[in-house]
Amino acid sequence: MKPPASAFPFFLRRARHMYVVCGVLAALTACHASMNTVTVAPTQSTLFYTYLIAHGMARGSVMSGEQNVAGVLRLANADKNAFLSVLTAERFPKKQNFYAASNALVLFLQEIDTNRK
């Protein structure tokens, strides 16, 4: 016995079946997809690279003459604190050490910006 004729041409009947299969698969994969989140937790490498960039910014501002004399001394102190805290976080990778190093780097960057003439 012959199957009933469809109103769609032959190639569109196949496409219709493919669309149905793809739709069902898409619905099933959407049900099982988990929500991935991006974390921006600092690592030893990112803290060290951030320190190097901030150190270069401080050096550039001193060499260009943008810092006053008292600002250079405060800048050197902030540089030393940031460097020691980054080294501590690199040697002892604990959450509080990363937090202290991040705070020291923020203070160092603020010191670079506030001491300009």
Side-chain angles (χ1 to χ4, degrees):
M1 189 164 196
K2 201 174 185 185
S6 175
F8 289 111
F10 174 73
F11 63 91
L12 288 179
R13 278 186 266 154
R14 286 189 176 232
R16 183 178 57 176
H17 291 294
M18 288 299 292
Y19 287 132
V20 169
V21 169
C22 288
V24 168
L25 287 176
L28 289 176
T29 57
C31 292
H32 295 288
S34 64
M35 199 64 168
N36 291 333
T37 58
V38 177
T39 59
V40 191
T43 63
Q44 290 109 336
S45 301
T46 58
L47 287 174
F48 189 69
Y49 293 143
T50 304
Y51 168 75
L52 287 178
I53 291 169
H55 181 76
M57 291 169 59
R59 183 177 178 198
S61 70
V62 170
M63 290 179 69
S64 67
E66 294 177 352
Q67 300 286 336
N68 56 24
V69 177
V72 171
L73 294 175
R74 288 193 303 267
L75 193 61
N77 190 26
D79 185 11
K80 178 183 164 192
N81 290 338
F83 181 65
L84 291 176
S85 64
V86 167
L87 285 180
T88 302
E90 193 167 350
R91 186 159 182 195
F92 305 108
K94 296 179 182 176
K95 188 176 183 177
Q96 59 264 28
N97 291 343
F98 283 130
Y99 184 73
S102 295
N103 283 342
L105 286 169
V106 166
L107 291 174
F108 183 36
L109 289 170
Q110 288 175 347
E111 197 67 39
I112 293 169
D113 195 36
T114 58
N115 287 329
R116 294 189 176 177
K117 287 182 181 177

